[in-house]
Amino acid sequence: MVIKVEDIEELKKKLTLKPLILYGMGTIGMEISYWLDSQQIEYTFVDRNAIEKQKLVDKPVVTPESLKTDFMNANIIVSTNIYFDEIKTKLLETGFSESQIIPYTLFVPQNIVWPDLEDNINWDLMKPSVELFSKWIDENMKSVVDYGAGQMYLKTFLSKDVKYYPIDYMKRFDDTIVCDLNKGNFPDLQADVAVLNGVLEFLITAEDLIKHVCEKTKNMIIISYMTVDKFPNITGRRTSGYLSDLTELKIIHLLDDGGFKLVKKESDPLDNTDTIYLFEKK
């Protein structure tokens, strides 16, 4: 997440009018907390796992249930994109006013794209996901195209005799094949397997790339994607840098039209709102 406040003094004024609650201690919540600390603004965390989370921070952490009894006069920053609408609805039902609820979007710039997020990515968190779907790749597969290869973790899980083609928008390694997928610059590569791990969200060309991959792949396609079904908040998607809004059904139909059938899907170990799909040639 990228923190960039448009009018710092105006926001600070709003945040210090009343006691302040920071609801949520995920990635967004913690980034906002660092910003609040830098501005010397006092706040209390709210998290459903308050007892466990209290061990991680030196600020007080309370449960959502305590809001009604102890914090009805507070302003509340809702610091989650996926569950924002759900939490806001519950707060309004509890008796908080619209003016007391502060969206996390006030802390992030508009029109974020992947390069804006580049310096804030913890690449190591992606390893469990890569390890999971690497086990889906049949040992008879001899070539793999990795779209959005990043740190090329997939290569470490493949046999040495597998030909590995890492695609990315920038030259991270000597092996990287540079392609600007958002401009429709797709690689002319035939392979047994194609992997699109956490890349389609950030592309305006997502559907075109899927069609291209179907044409160029002989056996298996692995896709991880945060569908609109799991994350329907379009504003939240944009502040996350997501440029495409595909449903699970849309993905399945696109692959079916391209000659591939869904044979397996699992929640991503990193985030269960993200899904990893395995498609095989029909």
Side-chain angles (χ1 to χ4, degrees):
M1 177 180 170
V2 180
I3 297 287
K4 184 178 180 182
V5 176
E6 297 292 335
D7 190 333
I8 292 179
E9 293 307 315
E10 184 64 27
L11 182 57
K12 286 175 64 175
K13 181 179 179 181
K14 181 178 180 64
L15 297 177
T16 54
L17 282 175
K18 298 180 178 182
L20 185 64
I21 295 294
L22 182 54
Y23 197 133
M25 297 178 68
T27 301
I28 294 175
M30 296 313 296
E31 289 292 337
I32 292 176
S33 76
Y34 302 147
W35 185 87
L36 293 173
D37 291 341
S38 73
Q39 301 298 318
Q40 299 182 321
I41 298 173
E42 292 298 317
Y43 58 93
T44 297
F45 282 113
V46 166
D47 195 275
R48 61 184 179 181
N49 298 315
I51 295 176
E52 288 299 314
K53 293 296 181 70
Q54 184 63 81
K55 302 172 184 176
L56 305 176
V57 295
D58 58 5
K59 298 282 185 181
V61 185
V62 300
T63 63
E65 291 74 23
S66 68
L67 290 176
K68 187 173 183 179
T69 56
D70 301 325
F71 297 97
M72 288 302 294
N73 66 328
N75 284 330
I76 302 175
I77 302 170
V78 180
S79 60
T80 170
N81 48 15
I82 295 174
Y83 302 110
F84 177 84
D85 292 333
E86 176 184 334
I87 291 173
K88 180 179 178 181
T89 297
K90 288 182 178 178
L91 290 174
L92 292 173
E93 290 173 349
T94 299
F96 288 94
S97 67
E98 186 89 29
S99 63
Q100 287 176 275
I101 301 172
I102 301 171
Y104 68 92
T105 52
L106 292 183
F107 296 86
V108 299
Q110 300 299 308
N111 303 316
I112 291 176
V113 292
W114 174 259
D116 297 324
L117 304 171
E118 184 81 36
D119 293 336
N120 297 281
I121 295 297
N122 184 345
W123 293 100
D124 286 344
L125 292 177
M126 299 180 182
K127 282 185 177 179
S129 307
V130 176
E131 183 175 13
L132 184 154
F133 65 68
S134 69
K135 297 175 181 177
W136 297 355
I137 299 176
D138 190 283
E139 61 182 11
N140 295 319
M141 302 295 103
K142 298 304 180 184
S143 56
V144 176
V145 181
D146 189 1
Y147 291 84
Q151 299 300 304
M152 302 199 311
Y153 290 140
L154 179 56
K155 185 178 182 180
T156 65
F157 295 106
L158 298 175
S159 171
K160 298 296 184 182
D161 62 347
V162 173
K163 184 63 178 176
Y164 175 73
Y165 301 99
I167 310 300
D168 214 323
Y169 79 103
M170 63 183 293
K171 194 79 170 177
R172 300 183 193 277
F173 303 96
D174 290 341
D175 294 343
T176 304
I177 301 169
V178 177
C179 294
D180 191 339
L181 301 176
N182 255 326
K183 292 183 178 179
N185 180 17
F186 305 149
D188 186 16
L189 289 170
Q190 294 278 349
D192 293 326
V193 182
V195 172
L196 299 93
N197 179 30
V199 65
L200 291 173
E201 291 92 338
F202 301 97
L203 300 178
I204 58 175
T205 57
E207 293 188 34
D208 291 335
L209 180 58
I210 290 175
K211 294 173 184 177
H212 171 84
V213 169
C214 288
E215 293 172 359
K216 296 293 183 179
T217 307
K218 300 174 185 177
N219 296 289
M220 305 170 64
I221 298 174
I222 297 171
I223 293 174
S224 76
Y225 189 77
M226 184 80 74
T227 65
V228 176
D229 314 85
K230 295 284 188 72
F231 184 11
N233 187 314
I234 299 302
T235 299
R237 294 182 74 86
R238 296 299 174 267
T239 56
S240 300
Y242 295 177
L243 302 177
S244 69
D245 307 308
L246 302 177
T247 63
E248 179 174 278
L249 190 59
K250 180 66 173 180
I251 292 172
I252 293 172
H253 282 170
L254 285 169
L255 272 293
D256 184 70
D257 289 344
F260 286 81
K261 63 180 179 180
L262 177 65
V263 296
K264 184 186 293 187
K265 69 175 183 178
E266 289 192 26
S267 295
D268 192 317
L270 176 62
D271 187 340
N272 61 17
T273 55
D274 200 350
T275 307
I276 305 175
Y277 302 91
L278 171 62
F279 294 88
E280 292 183 352
K281 193 78 170 181
K282 292 191 286 188

